[in-house]
Amino acid sequence: MHIVGFYVCPGHQVLDLAGPLGAFESVTVVLGRPAYELCVLSRAGGMVQGSGGLAIATQPARGAVLDTLLSIGGELAPMLDAGEAAAVRALAQDTPRVASVCTGAFLLAEAGLLRGRRATTHWRAARRLQQRHPEVKVESDRIFVRDGALWSSAGVTAGIDLALALIEADHGIDVARQVARELVVYHRRAGGQSQFAPISHMEPQSDRIRLALGFARDHLHQDLRLERLAEAAHLSPRQFGRLFHQETGETPAKAVERMRVEAARARLQDGTESIERIARDVGFGDPERMRRAFLKWHGTPPQALRRKERAPRA
């Protein structure tokens, strides 16, 4: 029996817990026999209040023996507490596989478990995680990341994607697919989490990066190479590239591509312009380049998005 422990702090996000817990629970339905023993843990045990005022019964973390530990996300302040970090550090010492859901990555980082490792978290919190823990290699666009025996996932429902990947590692792809069908979710979602994070939510701290983003937004139809954006920010290309990634979690090229996809999508939804004209006007140059970008960010080509928008509503 594989024992999975879900570690929660006060203010945990209920769906961060319920999503992956439900996925592991569904393996029993698919296999027709118990496959996982599930337990919810906290530092002291007892009732722990989560989001929406919902409290959940937990067992004390001390002495728990696990095969997999999941750090559940939620409010950041409790996860930055030294006592919580120490409890997770002690749990992880003898646990073969450790994972985090959403902002649960902060708790793993505070416990020193992410040092020098690749990890992800909710797109809104990725920059803060990188700034607080520069020793962590934060990949802000991933739905989930595996670095050896350490796994992490993006925000909220991405915990289900993570659980499905863990189940696949344990029981194979067919079981994971059947669990996904049981849950009525995708087995593997196309694209990264940036498809859910509009470029307008980028909040760089420095005026220079904001200036470069504004310049890019106003000149999407032009050549926006690194050197030109650096010039708009009044920085050398090397300084600009480093500062841009530090403050946004993305490379300038990826940010420009996403801006172009957003601009193209708005025009696909709102107008009747040809795909060719939209591709040219937003800077893709040709429809094929735009198609590849849409597949990358949205998992579907622009034509399919247009058909979906034009379909009659029930």
Side-chain angles (χ1 to χ4, degrees), residues 33-96:
R33 58 175 173 80
Y36 295 99
E37 180 181 328
L38 309 176
C39 57
V40 182
L41 308 170
S42 66
R43 180 167 45 161
M47 301 300 291
V48 177
Q49 186 165 304
S51 60
L54 182 64
I56 187 165
T58 68
Q59 302 172 28
R62 178 174 292 183
V65 178
L66 307 173
D67 298 297
T68 297
L69 167 65
L70 272 78
S71 170
I72 302 303
E75 294 178 13
L76 283 183
M79 288 186 286
L80 304 183
D81 179 81
E84 299 286 1
V88 166
R89 189 183 308 115
L91 264 178
Q93 282 180 351
D94 298 314
T95 301

Side-chain angles (χ1 to χ4, degrees), residues 265-281:
R265 181 168 186 173
R267 290 173 69 162
L268 284 167
Q269 292 171 334
D270 297 339
T272 57
E273 300 170 287
S274 69
I275 299 290
E276 291 76 10
R277 177 168 182 174
I278 293 173
R280 184 179 66 250
D281 287 355

